[in-house]
Amino acid sequence: AGATQWEWHSYMTLASNPRIAGTCTLQNLGSNDIHMTEDGGQSHQIGGLVVNGAKLSFKGQDDSPVEGSSTLTITGNLTINGGIFQIEEDGELPAVGTTNKNNIVVNGNFTMTGGSFDLNGGAVNGNQGVNELHIKGNMNISGGTMQQNNAGAGGSLPWQAVRFNGTGTQTYTESGAFTINEFAYYVPSGSTLQ
């Protein structure tokens, strides 16, 4: 279970419900990309993820409520130094009113020094639901762009959510030059964010 380095030079779609024990480092993809899934109702797990210069799309849900929610669980840390990491590249999000959503769960720390993290890279359909980033560790942003590329209907609602789900005290740190679009932030009762 050591570090795994992917250096793909073509389009690739990972199989359903993959389990990767080690830390995956994505780089040197140029204009090519990796799709983690094409269907809803999926459950992915990766030990850790470092995005240095790739385009990684987690497309776990379309607008059909029967497909179910999809979740990518990163049991370690998520680090974005470059490239693009996005949810829902070219499909539509689940309809408002359904319980379906795409979730990125980070059991460790979220660190961003560059690149782009997009909680909503999908097509605007005027009927979008919610994608969520769940962080159990600390969040440190010192560069790059964290965005919801296509906001809610008319761009009026911050439907994409960041949830701090750790126990005790979690820290949120900003430094350097970066861009963050509007999100809904949640801290559970009994937890402290500083």
Side-chain angles (χ1 to χ4, degrees):
T4 301
Q5 182 165 304
W6 294 342
E7 293 196 34
W8 303 89
H9 298 279
S10 62
Y11 177 93
M12 182 180 89
T13 300
L14 296 183
S16 297
N17 300 312
R19 298 288 185 268
I20 301 171
T23 296
C24 296
T25 300
L26 303 180
Q27 59 190 20
N28 300 331
L29 290 180
S31 61
N32 301 305
D33 60 338
I34 295 175
H35 285 199
M36 293 202 69
T37 184
E38 294 290 337
D39 300 306
Q42 301 292 311
S43 176
H44 296 17
Q45 183 173 302
I46 297 177
L49 181 60
V50 179
V51 181
N52 285 331
K55 180 180 179 183
L56 175 63
S57 298
F58 179 63
K59 181 182 180 295
Q61 175 59 267
D62 68 9
D63 58 345
S64 170
V66 300
E67 286 197 357
S69 301
S70 287
T71 299
L72 166 62
T73 300
I74 301 169
T75 59
N77 298 323
L78 170 58
T79 302
I80 303 172
N81 299 315
I84 300 168
F85 183 18
Q86 66 183 14
I87 302 178
E88 196 69 30
E89 181 197 29
D90 55 6
E92 297 177 338
L93 295 169
V96 172
T98 71
T99 58
N100 298 331
K101 62 183 72 174
N102 297 311
N103 299 289
I104 305 284
V105 178
V106 181
N107 289 342
N109 298 323
F110 177 99
T111 301
M112 187 168 184
T113 65
S116 176
F117 180 68
D118 193 343
L119 270 170
N120 180 11
V124 175
N125 65 6
N127 197 28
Q128 297 168 341
V130 177
N131 290 325
E132 293 188 346
L133 170 65
H134 300 255
I135 302 173
K136 295 186 178 180
N138 301 319
M139 186 173 192
N140 180 12
I141 300 177
S142 60
T145 300
M146 186 170 166
Q147 64 185 356
Q148 49 180 355
N149 189 45
N150 294 313
S156 60
L157 296 175
W159 283 338
Q160 315 318 313
V162 177
R163 292 185 179 272
F164 292 91
N165 295 126
T167 56
T169 300
Q170 294 177 261
T171 60
Y172 176 88
T173 306
E174 296 178 349
S175 62
F178 58 89
T179 302
I180 298 180
N181 291 165
E182 184 179 9
F183 295 96
Y185 290 90
Y186 299 93
V187 178
S189 176
S191 295
T192 301
L193 180 67
Q194 61 182 25

